[in-house]
Amino acid sequence: MISSIVLAAGFSSRMGSPKALLDWGGEPLLAYQINQLKEAGADEIIVVLGHMADDIHRKIGKLPCRVMLNPRYQMGRAGSLRIGAKAVSRDADAIIVTNVDQPRPASFLRDLIAAHQEGKSATRPTADGHRGHPVIVAGSLRTEMMGATDEQGGLHGVLAAHNGDLADVAMDSLCHVDFNTPDEYAAAKQRFGLH
């Protein structure tokens, strides 16, 4: 079973408006993410909301996902990861962990899922010598993610404890797309051929 966690609880302060609701090819960015994960074969999609959760939830209410609320979203990202991991099915073999500002088409996600090897703690996409996102984490690490803290580096801290057991997979440079500012958002849309 393939699960997924989309972290979308932050302030989007540098963007000036919630990234989850940015237009992405005619639909909210978060809706695009959910639909692509579903199309790629994710059996469950957990979305963690925080800032402006009600507004965002209204826009995705009918989509195939389970929404979790992080009431302490301003305390750091690891809290959202813990809440997302706790909501993940105990039967999950693999968990895709992504941020709302890291859109990926279903074809990219399918290739990454196919590259994830059973027995590996995690699979990370790489391009041009740099690691990107999303990361696929073995279901066996769910409990560790439920205990992740910002002080220990959140997901990076969890993965660091399994450093010898991680797979890096060469993929398209799309794995580096993410955005925090309006200029980066415009560049990402251009990279995806959106106007």
Side-chain angles (χ1 to χ4, degrees):
M1 178 185 184
I2 298 166
S3 185
S4 58
I5 302 170
V6 184
L7 302 173
F11 282 109
S12 305
S13 50
R14 284 181 282 171
M15 188 64 67
S17 62
K19 286 189 267 193
L21 298 181
L22 291 173
D23 177 73
W24 197 260
E27 63 184 335
L29 178 61
L30 181 53
Y32 171 85
Q33 291 265 57
I34 293 164
N35 289 326
Q36 296 305 303
L37 283 161
K38 193 75 187 159
E39 197 180 316
D43 297 299
E44 73 173 353
I45 300 163
I46 311 295
V47 174
V48 184
L49 299 179
H51 182 61
M52 294 184 67
D54 289 344
D55 293 349
I56 296 167
H57 195 184
R58 271 196 293 276
K59 298 280 188 187
I60 62 161
K62 294 181 173 63
L63 294 173
C65 66
R66 195 146 49 108
V67 174
M68 305 302 293
L69 186 65
N70 178 5
R72 302 178 67 201
Y73 61 88
Q74 62 274 40
M75 305 295 284
R77 192 180 304 180
S80 293
L81 180 65
R82 288 194 300 272
I83 288 166
K86 191 173 182 185
V88 162
S89 168
R90 291 178 182 175
D91 299 329
D93 301 304
I95 306 163
I96 305 164
V97 182
T98 191
N99 294 313
V100 72
D101 59 3
Q102 297 165 343
R104 305 290 183 260
S107 55
F108 179 98
L109 295 167
R110 262 195 301 269
D111 289 346
L112 187 60
I113 291 166
H116 180 65
Q117 299 159 8
E118 213 172 303
K120 284 288 183 189
S121 291
T123 301
R124 301 173 293 194
T126 65
D128 309 318
H130 298 283
R131 292 188 185 111
H133 296 277
V135 175
I136 299 186
V137 181
S140 58
L141 267 61
R142 173 180 171 265
T143 307
E144 288 178 49
M145 289 197 294
M146 284 165 56
T149 65
D150 286 301
E151 295 73 32
Q152 294 173 323
L155 181 59
H156 291 292
V158 172
L159 297 181
H162 299 270
N163 209 17
D165 195 30
L166 307 177
D168 288 337
V169 179
M171 293 193 68
D172 189 280
S173 62
L174 277 177
C175 71
H176 294 147
V177 171
D178 66 15
F179 41 87
N180 293 302
T181 67
D183 286 347
E184 290 169 354
Y185 166 51
K189 283 177 76 174
Q190 196 168 12
R191 175 75 173 80
F192 271 71
L194 303 173
H195 304 291

